[in-house]
């Protein structure tokens, strides 16, 4: 009973933690791309309009890899899981080595899997392992791998994945504390 409660907490926390790590990564990337001044002067974005324009663009050119990657990210942000899965699969069809598409598809699989569906979690793990080939130090991918390994009842490997993720997160951040707590809970 105690372990079942722990597993439930980890699963719920896993989704939140994955989201926090992804947000941290995206914010860092956007800051680097836009620069502090450029980001401050940008007008607010209407997500529905942006997605509608992107869908029109992809209707005219479905083999646009960057468009498919943007669509996958947009659909995940809007929690349109089926559409996100289609976009990530199309991106992988266009570039089978895309770590972003492998990670994105794994995230969709994790979030939509029926509890106990080992086949879906194994597919997610396969995609995460492929993503890690290109980005072996990405804490978001390592965190997600740990979550999947928990679902597959491979706790020692989950510990290893989260320990590795922890090494690449800036110390004393909310994300670092979250992963540290998850590791403590897993080990207790």
């Amino acid at each position: 009973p105690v372990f079942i409660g722990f597993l439930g907490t980890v699963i719920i926390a896993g989704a939140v933690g994955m989201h926090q790590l992804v947000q941290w990564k995206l914010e860092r990337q956007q800051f680097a791309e836009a620069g502090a001044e450029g980001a401050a002067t940008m007008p607010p974005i209407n997500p529905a309009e942006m997605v509608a324009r992107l869908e029109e663009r992809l209707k005219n050119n479905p083999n646009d890899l960057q468009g498919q990657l943007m669509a996958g990210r947009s659909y995940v942000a809007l929690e349109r899981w089926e559409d996100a899965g289609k976009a990530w699969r199309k991106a992988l069809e266009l570039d089978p080595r895309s770590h972003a598409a492998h990670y994105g598809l794994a995230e969709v699989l994790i979030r939509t899997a029926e509890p106990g569906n080992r086949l879906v979690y194994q597919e997610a793990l396969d995609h995460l392992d492929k993503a890690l080939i290109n980005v072996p130090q990405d804490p978001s991918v390592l965190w997600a791998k740990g979550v999947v390994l928990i679902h597959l009842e491979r706790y020692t490997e989950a510990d290893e994945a989260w320990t590795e993720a922890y090494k690449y997160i800036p110390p004393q951040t909310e994300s670092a504390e979250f992963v540290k707590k998850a590791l403590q809970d897993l080990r207790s």
Side-chain angles (χ1 to χ4, degrees), residues 25-76:
K25 183 176 158 186
L26 289 175
E27 287 171 9
R28 189 179 69 182
Q29 181 180 12
Q30 288 171 348
F31 183 76
E33 289 174 0
E37 290 179 38
T41 61
M42 289 179 62
I45 297 171
N46 179 333
E49 282 180 25
M50 182 187 76
V51 170
R53 285 195 308 268
L54 185 56
E55 288 172 336
E56 188 62 33
R57 173 178 153 186
L58 291 174
K59 191 183 298 181
N60 295 325
N61 184 8
N63 293 331
D64 176 355
L65 176 60
Q66 291 307 312
Q68 293 293 348
L69 293 171
M70 285 191 298
R73 288 184 193 105
S74 299
Y75 292 140
V76 165

Side-chain angles (χ1 to χ4, degrees), residues 18 22 69 72-73 76 81 84-85 87-89 92 98-111 127-128 131 141:
M18 189 181 325
V22 169
L69 293 171
R73 288 184 193 105
V76 165
W81 305 118
W88 293 128
R89 288 187 192 281
L92 286 172
S98 170
H99 63 274
H102 280 294
Y103 173 76
L105 183 54
E107 181 182 7
V108 169
L109 292 168
I110 293 166
R111 290 178 178 261
H127 285 290
L128 293 168
V141 180

